[in-house]
Amino acid sequence: MAKRTADQYLLRVTAGPDYDPSTHTVVAVNGPTSVPISSKHCTANIKVRVQNYRGLPHGSPATSPYFSADPHTHDQYSIAFSMVPHTTVSGNELLFGNDFDRPIRDRLPPGTETAFKIVKWAIDPGLEGDFYSDKPHLYGPLLSSINVLRVGPKATKQDGKYEIPAHLHEDGIAEGADGEEEELRKEKQIPEDAAARKKHFLNEDHRKGWEFEEGRVYQGDFFNPYIDFNQFALKLPGFSLSVLGYIDEKEDTLRYVMKNKSTGDVFFVVVFTLVPKEDAEKESPATTATASSAAAEQGDEKKEYQPKDDDLD
């Protein structure tokens, strides 16, 4: 088999309310709008950013203002969300991470176990996973894995549906809470600093003492400098691993999911798919036009939407 190179593929990102791809929407990566998601378990908006993006839809912006300011100047991607649970969920139940529908053990590159040890030691001690099972997974508690967590107010309802703003700020989400919601964090003795909050929630009792309330807005941002989607490589401190030689002949995916660990209820799913260029060229011109419009609007976003300090993402 001929050696594969990164320029043979493009990236496609989709988001939806469950694992079924037919329920997903193609994400306009780095564009000004977010993807609305509504399911039995939550109402959400999802925004995805990828630095130096090479992917679909055709004409997508290569970057976002998000990557031009601290603390994101070295980050490679971001999955940001605003989410309203439809029922109250224990903080010990919500997970965030990756999973797969089929075994990947025969395609794991040498060094996988070393990479996982580095991630557990240096990045997220709360992660647990099994790459060798029939359904491989890597999950962490949302409260200790998400880089930024913000507590918002109760969402309004219109015609029986929760309403949350469709936009997510270009400069990202700030750790903390909105107005009176700061008292909710103080009552539970949650540290103001994101790193301290993540460490705090490594304790299971602390997670059990927190609830994601029905009808309340929660905002999160997951980002890091370790996955380079343009070179399809994992770059950890002192360790680098390319996955190009281990993917399927046609295409492969990396799936992120927020779910309830006890019930299996899925809140939302974001999928990164490597698409061979020859297949990507068949993408609909209408899709390309939509992305090109998003790229053109990116520079004018502030004219259309001027978020105040206490606006929701």
Side-chain angles (χ1 to χ4, degrees), residues 153-165:
K154 289 282 190 173
T156 59
K157 261 189 174 183
Q158 183 71 27
D159 297 328
K161 296 181 179 180
Y162 288 108
E163 291 189 341
I164 53 178

Side-chain angles (χ1 to χ4, degrees), residues 127-185:
L127 286 176
E128 297 294 340
D130 184 351
F131 296 111
Y132 298 94
S133 69
D134 288 339
K135 290 196 173 184
H137 59 274
L138 181 64
Y139 303 130
L142 178 68
L143 288 169
S144 61
S145 290
I146 203 75
N147 299 78
V148 172
L149 177 67
R150 190 170 186 85
V151 181
K154 289 282 190 173
T156 59
K157 261 189 174 183
Q158 183 71 27
D159 297 328
K161 296 181 179 180
Y162 288 108
E163 291 189 341
I164 53 178
H167 291 271
L168 288 150
H169 300 172
E170 271 312 311
D171 55 355
I173 299 166
E175 180 80 18
D178 295 328
E180 296 179 357
E181 281 64 37
E182 291 181 1
E183 293 301 318
L184 293 176
R185 290 180 64 121

Side-chain angles (χ1 to χ4, degrees), residues 120-281:
K120 285 267 294 182
W121 170 70
I123 301 170
D124 189 351
L127 286 176
E128 297 294 340
D130 184 351
F131 296 111
Y132 298 94
S133 69
D134 288 339
K135 290 196 173 184
H137 59 274
L138 181 64
Y139 303 130
L142 178 68
L143 288 169
S144 61
S145 290
I146 203 75
N147 299 78
V148 172
L149 177 67
R150 190 170 186 85
V151 181
K154 289 282 190 173
T156 59
K157 261 189 174 183
Q158 183 71 27
D159 297 328
K161 296 181 179 180
Y162 288 108
E163 291 189 341
I164 53 178
H167 291 271
L168 288 150
H169 300 172
E170 271 312 311
D171 55 355
I173 299 166
E175 180 80 18
D178 295 328
E180 296 179 357
E181 281 64 37
E182 291 181 1
E183 293 301 318
L184 293 176
R185 290 180 64 121
K186 290 179 180 179
E187 286 174 10
K188 300 296 183 180
Q189 299 181 332
I190 299 174
E192 296 180 4
D193 176 73
R197 180 262 306 159
K198 292 171 69 176
K199 183 177 180 180
H200 174 82
F201 280 122
L202 288 173
N203 183 302
E204 183 177 6
D205 288 336
H206 291 166
R207 295 196 301 272
K208 288 180 176 179
W210 176 264
E211 289 184 332
F212 290 97
E213 295 179 60
E214 175 185 354
R216 185 174 296 283
V217 179
Y218 298 90
Q219 302 167 303
D221 193 2
F222 180 79
F223 51 82
N224 66 58
Y226 306 117
I227 299 181
D228 185 341
F229 282 109
N230 294 294
Q231 295 301 319
F232 310 125
L234 180 66
K235 298 179 179 180
L236 299 172
F239 185 87
S240 183
L241 182 67
S242 174
V243 301
L244 276 176
Y246 304 92
I247 64 176
D248 281 351
E249 286 288 342
K250 293 298 289 180
E251 62 181 40
D252 211 350
T253 63
L254 179 62
R255 183 170 69 193
Y256 288 86
V257 59
M258 183 189 293
K259 65 187 299 184
N260 185 311
K261 72 176 182 180
S262 294
T263 65
D265 294 339
V266 173
F267 280 56
F268 64 78
V269 176
V270 179
V271 180
F272 293 76
T273 302
L274 307 185
V275 183
K277 271 191 173 180
E278 60 267 25
D279 294 339
E281 296 303 323

Side-chain angles (χ1 to χ4, degrees), residues 285-303:
T287 304
T288 301
T290 300
S292 298
S293 174
E297 291 172 7
Q298 186 181 37
D300 295 330
E301 183 179 1
K302 291 184 179 179
K303 296 179 182 178

